[in-house]
Amino acid sequence: QSVLTQPPSVSAAPGQKVTISCSGSSSNIGYHHVSWYQHLPGTAPKLLIYDNDKRFSGIPDRFSGSKSGTSATLGITGLQTGDEADYYCGSWDTSLSHFVFGPGTKVTVL
Amino acid sequence: QVHLVQSGDEVKKPGASVKLSCTSSGDTFATYYIHWVRQASGQGLEWMGVINPTGRSTTYAPKFQGRLTMTRDTSTTTVYMELSSLTSDDTALYYCAADGAGSYYRSNFFDPWGHGTLITVSS
């Protein structure tokens, strides 16, 4: 059981928008920065967002991140078939003294 | 920018140990914290631990305490991750990842990542 909660899956048609929530607590998201990763199984995960809302180098502005309190959100606009992947949030957890990933959300383009 | 290269896939028997390596050709590798993350088949990403640039400090996830050892050879710019007392639950793809901050700082976001090493534990 992860201390971070994400929906198992989200889906939308090409060109539409999806949002992925990541819910935590005061010991992780409420106190530390959140990062987001795109992962296709068998390949290296790809950093999308760091420090809650900063897009990493080369990441298109279709991807956005935000944080409020103990929750964070990843938004993807203009959905493309190439966006089909698993998406993970992550944050350091002070109580556990280690980094934690969310369980992952599978994005499906209908 | 560093480019991480990991050692090859391995098959181990239950109870054995495995030692993986992660190296870089970049000359700034020595300034990076290096994390290890694994993914078992059908499971999510799991953070295992981190080693600092000098190799003198490590932090491990409690789940792996006692059987995980991370070391660093600064002369060869190689980081090692050794996991002992393997069980079938340790069958996974293991990634090393550089801490995004570099320059001796630790930020707890990860880029770049190695290509992954598949460890299969089977009798």
Side-chain angles (χ1 to χ4, degrees):
Chain A
Q1 291 285 61
S2 176
V3 297
L4 302 181
T5 303
Q6 295 181 239
S9 64
V10 296
S11 61
Q16 297 300 302
K17 175 182 179 178
V18 295
T19 59
I20 301 170
S21 60
C22 177
S23 179
S25 69
S26 58
S27 65
N28 42 65
I29 293 177
Y31 192 75
H32 297 281
H33 289 311
V34 177
S35 51
W36 289 91
Y37 304 86
Q38 179 190 64
H39 190 214
L40 289 165
T43 69
K46 180 179 180 181
L47 175 65
L48 300 174
I49 301 290
Y50 67 100
D51 291 357
N52 307 322
D53 57 8
K54 296 180 176 60
R55 265 187 306 277
F56 190 62
S57 175
I59 302 303
D61 59 7
R62 299 188 300 107
F63 293 88
S64 64
S66 64
K67 186 179 99 167
S68 177
T70 59
S71 293
T73 301
L74 174 71
I76 311 174
T77 59
L79 205 59
Q80 302 174 0
T81 55
D83 297 332
E84 284 201 333
D86 297 319
Y87 291 80
Y88 294 88
C89 60
S91 179
W92 188 262
D93 189 293
T94 300
S95 296
L96 299 176
S97 295
H98 68 81
F99 191 89
V100 290
F101 286 101
T105 298
K106 184 174 183 60
V107 170
T108 301
V109 182
L110 300 172
Chain B
Q1 176 71 318
V2 295
H3 174 68
L4 302 181
V5 178
Q6 297 186 228
S7 49
D9 299 346
E10 297 197 46
V11 178
K12 293 291 183 180
K13 292 196 181 301
S17 297
V18 67
K19 189 171 185 177
L20 310 184
S21 68
C22 174
T23 190
S24 173
S25 56
D27 57 6
T28 58
F29 181 76
T31 70
Y32 282 82
Y33 284 77
I34 298 297
H35 302 259
W36 288 86
V37 175
R38 75 178 187 179
Q39 184 182 39
S41 180
Q43 303 298 310
L45 300 177
E46 181 175 34
W47 185 86
M48 300 180 68
V50 60
I51 187 167
N52 79 336
T54 65
R56 295 195 184 106
S57 177
T58 54
T59 301
Y60 303 142
K63 173 178 180 177
F64 301 103
Q65 287 282 0
R67 67 184 192 105
L68 174 61
T69 304
M70 293 181 185
T71 55
R72 191 163 193 155
D73 185 335
T74 55
S75 65
T76 62
T77 63
T78 302
V79 171
Y80 299 94
M81 188 280 290
E82 184 171 19
L83 190 62
S84 62
S85 303
L86 294 170
T87 72
S88 57
D89 290 342
D90 295 315
T91 294
L93 192 55
Y94 289 77
Y95 297 99
C96 63
D99 191 280
S103 300
Y104 300 100
Y105 287 95
R106 179 176 159 188
S107 64
N108 292 321
F109 63 87
F110 315 128
D111 186 87
W113 295 64
H115 53 81
T117 298
L118 179 63
I119 301 301
T120 303
V121 182
S122 174
S123 55

